[in-house]
């Protein structure tokens, strides 16, 4: 209850940014629906019956729970600023997206972020949570879309590789133009101070461009690659269980 009360106080004090977050999340969900509609049209997938909907909800709930647990275990990278820590919470998200489609992946991503907010609150006025959601979806939506268009190991690898590239590009653009400036505003510190935290780890970081190229891009590349490799290794082994086959 205490975390929820603090969360509501933060929401009231930052209502403008929160409304922007809601609009962005709605746009992402709509894009996932559009991707799934394109998949259904191409493959002639029939409408899901009530039994499948129940299984779908069960899988989403289970994978969301696993994702929030994995999110609590963060791994710092010594060559990056301390606020960049890797976790494997995208693994259940992409498995859910491969099993059920892009929309399910976005829903699991959202539930993961929402539950984390309820459990730990926010230290970044929702900026960090929005970043996690957007960059996670930048990976999940293209990866699952490509996989669903023609299911198979090859398309899974292509999809995961594409999702990783999109995540890296999205992470760089969002950090440069939205997230890092917003972080500086939230923490009431000069933007240069954040960049200097990167310079302390890598002397090659001298400005925003080198920060996103030498810090943000490697971070997302490592995370996307790790999740992709594990997904390829385990997905087929557990997909039959999730599908009840």
């Amino acid at each position: 209850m205490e975390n929820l009360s603090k969360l509501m106080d933060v929401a009231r004090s930052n209502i403008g940014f929160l409304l922007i977050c809601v609009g962005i999340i709605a746009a992402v969900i709509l894009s996932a629906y559009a991707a799934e509609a394109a998949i259904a049209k191409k493959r002639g997938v029939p409408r899901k019956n009530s039994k499948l909907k129940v299984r779908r909800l069960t899988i989403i709930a289970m994978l969301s729970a696993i994702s929030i647990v994995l999110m609590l275990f963060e791994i710092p990278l010594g060559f990056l600023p301390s606020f960049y820590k890797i976790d494997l919470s995208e693994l259940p998200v992409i498995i859910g997206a491969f099993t059920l489609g892009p929309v399910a992946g976005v829903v699991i991503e959202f539930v993961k972020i929402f539950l984390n907010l309820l459990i730990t609150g926010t230290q970044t006025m929702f900026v960090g949570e929005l970043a996690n959601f957007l960059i996670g979806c930048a990976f999940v939506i293209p990866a699952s879309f490509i996989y669903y268009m023609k299911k198979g190991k090859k398309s899974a690898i292509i999809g995961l590789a594409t999702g990783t590239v999109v995540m890296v590009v999205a992470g760089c653009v969002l950090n440069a133009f939205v997230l890092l400036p917003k972080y500086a505003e939230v923490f009431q510190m000069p933007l240069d101070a954040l960049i200097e935290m990167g310079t302390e780890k890598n002397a090659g970081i001298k400005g925003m461009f080198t920060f996103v190229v030498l810090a943000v891009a490697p971070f997302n590349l490592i995370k996307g690659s790790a999740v992709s490799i594990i997904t390829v290794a385990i997905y087929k082994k557990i997909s039959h269980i999730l599908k009840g086959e």
Side-chain angles (χ1 to χ4, degrees):
M1 290 298 293
E2 183 178 353
N3 273 341
L4 182 59
S5 178
K6 290 180 180 178
L7 197 61
M8 293 303 294
D9 289 340
V10 173
R12 282 191 289 268
S13 65
N14 201 27
I15 189 67
F17 182 71
L18 191 59
L19 290 174
I20 292 173
C21 290
V22 172
I24 293 172
I25 290 170
V28 171
I29 292 174
L30 287 174
S31 69
Y33 268 107
E36 210 158 279
I39 292 167
K41 183 177 181 180
K42 178 177 176 60
R43 299 180 62 206
V45 179
R47 294 179 62 87
K48 300 176 178 67
N49 59 40
S50 58
K51 184 177 180 180
L52 289 178
K53 287 180 180 179
V54 171
R55 176 174 290 278
R56 182 183 179 89
L57 290 174
T58 302
I59 293 172
I60 288 174
M62 179 183 66
L63 292 176
S64 297
I66 296 172
S67 188
I68 187 62
V69 172
L70 291 176
M71 196 176 184
L72 300 176
F73 296 93
E74 297 179 318
I75 305 170
L77 298 174
F79 62 93
L80 295 179
S82 58
F83 49 86
Y84 285 122
K85 297 177 181 179
I86 283 182
D87 63 67
L88 295 177
S89 62
E90 303 304 332
L91 182 58
V93 181
I94 191 63
I95 287 174
F98 271 20
T99 304
L100 302 172
V103 174
V106 172
V107 171
I108 296 169
E109 186 75 43
F110 175 80
V111 172
K112 176 192 78 173
I113 301 299
F114 181 73
L115 290 178
N116 184 65
L117 277 170
L118 293 181
I119 294 170
T120 64
T122 178
Q123 304 298 319
T124 62
M125 301 286 281
F126 303 108
V127 178
E129 290 73 26
L130 178 64
N132 198 310
F133 175 79
L134 291 178
I135 295 173
C137 289
F139 171 66
V140 168
I141 293 176
S144 57
F145 176 77
I146 291 173
Y147 173 69
Y148 256 79
M149 292 299 283
K150 187 178 180 181
K151 287 188 176 182
K153 187 173 183 178
K154 182 178 179 180
S155 63
I157 293 172
I158 294 173
L160 290 165
T162 303
T164 299
V165 171
V166 173
M167 180 170 70
V168 170
V169 173
C172 290
V173 173
L174 286 170
N175 272 274
F177 296 104
V178 181
L179 302 175
L180 287 174
K182 192 64 180 179
Y183 273 127
E185 178 185 327
V186 166
F187 291 112
Q188 297 182 335
M189 61 190 298
L191 184 57
D192 288 344
L194 284 175
I195 295 174
E196 286 174 7
M197 294 176 69
T199 306
E200 291 174 3
K201 298 291 184 177
N202 186 337
I205 296 176
K206 300 183 182 299
M208 179 63 77
F209 178 77
T210 50
F211 186 95
V212 297
V213 171
L214 299 177
V216 178
F219 171 79
N220 286 305
L221 180 61
I222 292 170
K223 183 174 183 177
S225 298
V227 171
S228 297
I229 291 169
I230 297 173
T231 300
V232 171
I234 70 172
Y235 177 67
K236 279 300 180 182
K237 298 176 183 178
I238 64 175
S239 63
H240 298 302
I241 299 173
L242 293 176
K243 295 175 182 177
E245 296 175 350

